[in-house]
Structure formats: C-alpha cells, structure tokens
Amino acid sequence: MNTIVKHLIKGFLIIVSPVITYLVFALLFSLIPVNRNAVLGDDTEIYIRSNGVHLELLLPVKTAYKDWSEVIQIDSRIKNHVHFVSFGWGDRNFYKHTPEWSDLTFGTAFTALMQNSPSAMHVDFYTSVNTGKLCKKIRVSSEQYLVIVQFVDAAFQRDENGRFIEISDLHYTQNDVFYEATGSYHLFYTCNTWTNQCLKKAGLKASLWTPFDRGTLFHYRND
C-alpha cells in the first residue's frame, strides 16, 4: 500500500470516526429510558408528534392552567375552531430554508448542527389530532402539565413588554406563526432533544438523550 493511499485512508477515518461515534452514542442513549415507570395523570391530554424527522409537542389551546391564545397570535378566522397548539423548537435558519424536507441541503444541515445559530419556535394550530406510529397521546397530571407549560413558555424570547417576539417574515402556511426562541440548536441539542427534555423534566417517559424523533417515540411504541 503506497503512502498516498495510507494518507487517504487515515484522513477518511479521521473524518468518519467522529460521525460513527456520534451515531452509536445517539442510538444507545436514545434506547436508554428515563422515568420508565412514570405515573401518568388523568387531567390533561397532550401529544407528541413527528413529521418523520422533527418531533413536536401538541398542547390544548386552553386549560384551567394555561390559555395559549392570550400569548400567541391566532388568526381570527380559525380561532374558534382551534383545540390544540403545536410547539416545535429548532434552528431558525433551518426553518427558513427548509419549508419541506425536499428543500434540505447539506449546507443548511451542516450549519444547523455545527454552529450555535439562533433558534425559533414554530407554532401551528389544529382542530383535532389523529394518533398513530408517529403521534402518541399522553395523559398527564396537573403537576406534570404545569412543568410542561413552564418549559415551553421559557423557550420563547420576550420583548421589553414581556410579549413573545414574532418573526413576521417566516411562515409555512397562512395560519402558522414563528417566534424568536431562547437557546441554540447544535449537534447535541436538536429540535428532538428539546421535546425529549421537556418530557423528562415533567417526569414522563423519555430517552436519556436523543437527537432523533424516533428516540422519544420508541418509549411510547406500545401506547
């Protein structure tokens, strides 16, 4: 084996080894459960749902503990029909340049994962929710729901008057809304990590750590 080939192999291994290590640990930690024997409540109905890559939380638009319509802009044309609000934290640049997964480019993905770029909260509205492999219903207690509300609420940036800061030039549909969010998206804290972390803090079933949507969903596969 000549010197050039040896250097090429060495360079390849230097590049690939961290990727393989990351994926191995991501898979391992995704499978390790926390709150395995979580005691579910029977007070509030929430959902976790994935579009195949991105996991988000769906919460009731209004309960005795929180009325999201008081802090989130809901179009008057649909306001009376909305029952659930979805919250998807993620990379702002990724959201802006990837309205559909078919729009994803290597550059956008690399920037999102490798740089601590600004984050955004994607909020959308639903009249009903259908469960399935990628959407799971979770019944939670009032205490668990309050932890979830506090976690989600803390992820929004606020202006000098304490209001959520809307990103007015970013929309996927006529009804969804994007807001400035706190924290930075990176290789070890993705959109799916955020959702998983919320469930962990509320004492609900979750992965030890996961960058993937299926990591969290794995622990609800029999629900």
Side-chain angles (χ1 to χ4, degrees):
M1 185 179 295
N2 61 45
T3 303
I4 294 177
V5 173
K6 288 181 179 179
H7 283 304
L8 287 174
I9 293 175
K10 183 178 180 180
F12 176 78
L13 291 176
I14 290 174
I15 294 172
V16 172
S17 292
V19 176
I20 294 175
T21 301
Y22 174 84
L23 292 174
V24 169
F25 277 98
L27 177 60
L28 176 64
F29 289 166
S30 292
L31 296 176
I32 297 175
V34 294
N35 305 321
R36 183 201 299 266
N37 299 315
V39 178
L40 301 181
D42 196 29
D43 187 69
T44 304
E45 182 180 286
I46 71 167
Y47 296 83
I48 53 172
R49 189 180 66 174
S50 172
N51 64 0
V53 178
H54 173 87
L55 190 67
E56 61 186 7
L57 290 166
L58 277 74
L59 307 179
V61 66
K62 184 177 181 179
T63 66
Y65 316 104
K66 183 71 174 183
D67 183 353
W68 290 106
S69 66
E70 294 180 348
V71 293
I72 289 174
Q73 182 67 37
I74 305 178
D75 193 294
S76 59
R77 293 171 297 179
I78 65 169
K79 190 171 185 178
N80 293 332
H81 306 288
V82 171
H83 295 124
F84 292 93
V85 183
S86 68
F87 298 92
W89 180 93
D91 180 80
R92 178 172 176 175
N93 184 63
F94 190 96
Y95 276 134
K96 184 175 182 179
H97 296 289
T98 316
E100 300 288 343
W101 289 112
S102 59
D103 298 317
L104 180 62
T105 64
F106 175 80
T108 299
F110 182 85
T111 299
L113 290 172
M114 303 306 294
Q115 297 184 11
N116 289 336
S117 50
S119 58
M121 183 70 78
H122 182 214
V123 178
D124 212 343
F125 311 100
Y126 299 89
T127 58
S128 61
V129 184
N130 296 319
T131 58
K133 289 184 178 180
L134 297 181
C135 183
K136 300 296 181 178
K137 178 170 67 175
I138 309 172
R139 299 287 298 184
V140 300
S141 68
S142 57
E143 292 81 8
Q144 290 167 330
Y145 185 68
L146 285 172
V147 172
I148 293 171
V149 166
Q150 292 166 2
F151 185 91
V152 173
D153 192 71
F156 286 86
Q157 285 194 39
R158 289 171 167 76
D159 62 19
E160 61 275 10
N161 297 312
R163 294 186 295 245
F164 296 167
I165 304 171
E166 184 178 346
I167 305 173
S168 58
D169 61 344
L170 184 56
H171 291 278
Y172 287 168
T173 69
Q174 290 183 331
N175 300 322
D176 69 341
V177 190
F178 282 87
Y179 292 94
E180 300 280 2
T182 59
S184 295
Y185 184 109
H186 53 76
L187 192 62
F188 298 99
Y189 199 87
T190 69
C191 51
N192 301 313
T193 310
W194 180 83
T195 303
N196 187 74
Q197 185 70 10
C198 181
L199 299 178
K200 283 174 64 176
K201 283 186 174 293
L204 299 168
K205 291 187 297 183
S207 298
L208 179 61
W209 168 76
T210 184
F212 309 127
D213 63 325
R214 304 301 174 96
T216 306
L217 286 169
F218 172 78
H219 302 288
Y220 291 86
R221 63 193 182 281
N222 297 321
D223 294 0

